[in-house]
Amino acid sequence: MVELPAPSRTRNAAATRQAILDAAHNRFAKEGYDGASLREIAADAKVDAALVSRYFGSKEELFVEVLNCAPDASDLFEGTLSDFGTRVATKILDDRDVDQGVEYLLIMLRSASSLAAAEPLRRSMRTHFHDPFAAWLGGPQADVRARLAGDLIMGVCMSQAITSDHDLDEEGRASLRSRLAKVLQAAVEP
């Protein structure tokens, strides 16, 4: 009986790149920018550390790419300004898809004290959230209104990550939704 050679491992650049991004996302979410190392990210992705540098260059460039993969927040800007508060309060309190966005908030929070991560974080927040939000809002002090509403949204999302029902019964959650809608609406109004 003739033995056939073992099949060689197929190379898939897209799959390798995605495995590295997934591993980096997990490491940055758990340990922040300073706590995560390229060697650990490579080990988690089951690739050689040199491949991380080959695909992404530096740790900062990999971090930026992870931030660029954050869920798109443009659905917050769909609809009219007049129903923004109600629409967004309902989305962030009732939509389970918000959980993925919380992972990115963890990356930001755990990396916020890093000098190396500070500028990429600021740039990412501006590019992917605050600037599009302010453009959608338009009018006087749109940047201030976008920042305030964004900060409120992030805070509620973090609170929800800790206690999904906010330790409230159904009536209390309905009241929270109503009050949050009013606060968000006031934040975005010119």
Side-chain angles (χ1 to χ4, degrees), residues 34-172:
D34 289 338
S37 77
L38 289 181
R39 189 172 306 282
E40 292 168 331
I41 291 168
D44 293 349
K46 297 178 178 36
V47 300
D48 186 86
L51 273 180
V52 177
S53 295
R54 180 174 164 211
Y55 278 89
F56 297 97
S58 67
K59 180 177 169 181
E60 182 178 322
E61 290 169 303
L62 176 58
F63 184 68
V64 167
E65 190 59 31
V66 167
L67 294 175
N68 287 340
C69 293
D72 184 5
S74 64
D75 60 332
L76 296 178
F77 318 136
E78 294 172 358
T80 64
L81 181 61
S82 63
D83 73 345
F84 179 84
T86 300
R87 191 167 30 81
V88 173
T90 299
K91 180 171 183 55
I92 63 178
L93 293 177
D94 298 337
D95 188 347
R96 294 295 103 203
D97 288 340
V98 171
D99 293 346
Q100 188 184 17
V102 171
E103 286 279 318
Y104 284 90
L105 288 176
L106 288 173
I107 290 170
M108 290 182 235
L109 287 171
R110 292 187 173 139
S111 302
S113 63
S114 168
L115 294 176
E119 183 52 34
L121 281 170
R122 279 193 292 275
R123 191 172 47 247
S124 178
M125 286 293 293
R126 276 193 318 267
T127 302
H128 298 292
F129 188 76
H130 289 115
D131 289 351
F133 191 8
W136 179 78
L137 287 173
Q141 295 190 319
D143 55 340
V144 172
R145 295 171 17 238
R147 180 69 61 164
L148 176 59
D151 291 350
L152 290 166
I153 291 166
M154 284 191 288
V156 172
C157 287
M158 287 308 300
S159 178
Q160 181 142 331
I162 296 166
T163 309
S164 64
D165 64 0
H166 296 275
D167 287 332
L168 298 168
D169 61 17
E170 189 60 38
E171 184 180 332

